[in-house]
Amino acid sequence: MHNSHMRRVLIVEDESDALEILQGWTTKLGWVVRTARSGQAAVEIGKSFKPEVLITDYFLQGELNGVDVIEQLRLVDGKVRCVLVTGLLQTALLEGVRRIHGVPILTKPFDFRRLSTLILAS
C-alpha cells in the first residue's frame, strides 16, 4: 500500500532505548520514520528526507545539539514542526531554547499523550 500522504518524521536520539520507543510509537501511527544518532547525521538526513516533524533530543553525539539541529533544518524547511526532548532541564538548554521560538520541550520519561498533541497538530 503506497500512501503519498504518509507523514514523515525524523527522530534524533543517541540513547538506544529512547530511540526504539519513539521509533516504534511513530511507526505504529503509520508515519515514515528516519532516525539519526548525531546532530550532523540528522541535518544530512533532514535535507533529503524533508521531515514534516522533527523530534530531537537536546544532548547528542558530536558537535551539534538538538537546538542546532532545529535551527539548521528550519533553514531547509521553515514549516517543519519540532519537539525538543530532554532528560534534564539545564541552564544551557534553556538559553538555547530561547533561540528557537515556539518549540515545545518534552521531558523524559515520555508523555505520549502530550507528544501526540504536539506532532499531530497541523
Side-chain angles (χ1 to χ4, degrees):
M1 180 184 108
H2 178 71
N3 180 352
S4 60
H5 297 293
M6 288 179 77
R7 300 173 102 173
R8 295 178 312 282
V9 59
L10 174 57
I11 301 168
V12 192
E13 172 61 76
D14 59 2
E15 289 177 30
S16 298
D17 290 351
L19 183 64
E20 266 177 46
I21 289 167
L22 287 169
Q23 186 173 9
W25 181 76
T26 47
T27 301
K28 276 191 197 132
L29 288 176
W31 290 58
V32 177
V33 182
R34 293 283 181 282
T35 62
R37 289 178 176 268
S38 74
Q40 195 56 48
V43 171
E44 291 307 311
I45 292 167
K47 285 177 184 171
S48 56
F49 180 56
K50 296 188 172 49
E52 292 169 66
V53 172
L54 169 68
I55 302 172
T56 181
D57 196 357
Y58 177 75
F59 296 103
L60 298 169
Q61 295 171 4
E63 293 178 9
L64 302 179
N65 63 37
V67 170
D68 299 324
V69 172
I70 289 170
E71 286 183 321
Q72 292 200 27
L73 288 185
R74 277 182 165 176
L75 293 175
V76 177
D77 176 4
K79 295 191 302 283
V80 63
R81 278 200 311 284
C82 306
V83 178
L84 188 66
V85 174
T86 184
L88 227 57
L89 283 175
Q90 291 188 344
T91 312
L93 179 147
L94 294 172
E95 285 169 6
V97 168
R98 286 195 203 105
R99 302 195 331 241
I100 49 167
H101 305 291
V103 173
I105 300 175
L106 193 68
T107 51
K108 298 175 189 175
F110 304 113
D111 175 347
F112 285 101
R113 272 193 310 237
R114 176 151 186 259
L115 185 56
S116 287
T117 305
L118 295 173
I119 73 168
L120 296 174
S122 292

